[in-house]
Amino acid sequence: MISIREQDYGLDVALFNEFTLADFQLLEQALLKRLEEREKPDMLLDLSELKDFTLDMALEEVKFMRAHEEKMGRVAIVVGDVWIKLATHIAGLLSHTHVEYFDLVEEAQAWLARPVAA
């Protein structure tokens, strides 16, 4: 299940239980909309309640990020599970987006609220 909220800096996305291809397609639509509205939107990905993800979703995510990575801003990832963190780190190696990992949503939001250093 996915929850997507627009923020001044971009999007807050929370994932619960399993991240499926259908969930990713909703995220993809929201990201494309934000890309039309602002330059280099940032994103907070709250994976603290994520238990699993599907392989088809993971492949689609890599393709999407590779196609749009130059248009994306920073990505703050909140994650506790070591295996989910490893999977997101590996996926991050395949793109050039600026990713930071956090233990708490509030820390991630504070980081995204700070201006980007030149």
Side-chain angles (χ1 to χ4, degrees):
M1 187 171 122
I2 189 168
S3 168
I4 303 170
R5 291 188 334 236
E6 291 185 0
Q7 299 292 344
D8 289 339
Y9 53 76
L11 293 176
D12 276 0
V13 179
L15 297 160
F16 307 94
N17 297 319
E18 185 177 58
F19 191 16
T20 66
L21 181 58
D23 293 329
F24 182 77
Q25 289 168 339
L26 292 173
L27 175 58
E28 186 176 46
Q29 291 170 6
L31 277 170
L32 290 173
K33 180 178 179 278
R34 285 308 268 171
L35 286 169
E36 291 175 4
E37 298 169 350
R38 64 175 287 134
E39 185 178 345
K40 294 203 176 261
D42 295 329
M43 181 170 50
L44 185 154
L45 267 178
D46 181 357
L47 308 179
S48 60
E49 298 295 321
L50 184 65
K51 304 296 182 228
D52 200 4
F53 56 89
T54 62
L55 185 57
D56 57 349
M57 180 289 307
L59 293 173
E60 190 65 26
E61 186 268 339
V62 169
K63 286 193 286 186
F64 180 84
M65 289 308 289
R66 294 290 301 237
H68 299 283
E69 66 186 347
E70 74 282 349
K71 300 173 196 166
M72 294 294 301
R74 301 168 294 171
V75 178
I77 299 177
V78 178
V79 61
D81 183 276
V82 69
W83 295 110
I84 300 293
K85 187 173 185 175
L86 178 62
T88 60
H89 181 70
I90 290 169
L93 294 174
L94 301 174
S95 74
H96 297 98
T97 53
H98 183 174
V99 177
E100 291 285 330
Y101 294 91
F102 299 90
D103 294 323
L104 301 172
V105 169
E106 295 80 11
E107 293 171 342
Q109 288 172 326
W111 179 70
L112 290 172
R114 289 195 299 263
V116 176

